[in-house]
Amino acid sequence: MAMFAHKCHQIDVTVYDLSVERIAAWNSDHLPIYEPGLEEVVKGRRGKNLHFTNDNSCLKTADVIFISVNTPTKQYGVGAGRAADLKFIESCARTIAEL
């Protein structure tokens, strides 16, 4: 998402997360993950067209929503031990639909 903001200044990118701690980290000088060059991209666009929030009202006005969640291997039912467990994706989709 940071690269969208970096390359397309005319597009507002808002990253929403339930985790208050994770959003606080994205808004701090100590990002929660490391990728070469990411810190410079985030610091260069944060507060301009790149925003991090816990306020789900941003989802109501979004033109596009990317969902990024864990998809562990299923432990039960058809595909157990092989297929991805999509319960977190379903939960996010339901939350978005309820807005």
Side-chain angles (χ1 to χ4, degrees), residues 16-84:
Y16 166 76
D17 198 307
L18 292 171
S19 170
V20 173
E21 295 82 17
R22 193 171 298 126
I23 291 299
W26 281 109
N27 282 317
S28 76
D29 289 332
H30 305 288
L31 301 184
I33 63 170
Y34 173 78
E35 285 183 24
L38 180 62
E39 184 175 350
E40 293 78 19
V41 170
V42 170
K43 286 182 177 180
R45 298 315 309 164
R46 186 172 45 206
K48 296 174 183 167
N49 68 326
L50 178 60
H51 312 279
F52 300 93
T53 185
N54 293 107
D55 180 3
N56 71 1
S57 67
C58 67
L59 300 173
K60 294 177 186 178
T61 59
D63 292 323
V64 176
I65 298 174
F66 290 90
I67 297 175
S68 177
V69 296
N70 290 334
T71 52
T73 303
K74 286 179 72 174
Q75 299 299 310
Y76 56 89
V78 176
R82 296 186 313 269

Side-chain angles (χ1 to χ4, degrees), residues 78-97:
V78 176
R82 296 186 313 269
D85 185 341
L86 304 179
K87 66 184 172 193
F88 298 122
I89 291 175
E90 181 181 352
S91 176
C92 288
R94 289 181 185 278
T95 298
I96 293 165

Side-chain angles (χ1 to χ4, degrees), residues 4-20:
F4 282 129
H6 178 68
K7 294 291 187 179
C8 305
H9 296 183
Q10 74 280 12
I11 296 175
D12 282 325
V13 176
T14 302
V15 176
Y16 166 76
D17 198 307
L18 292 171
S19 170
V20 173

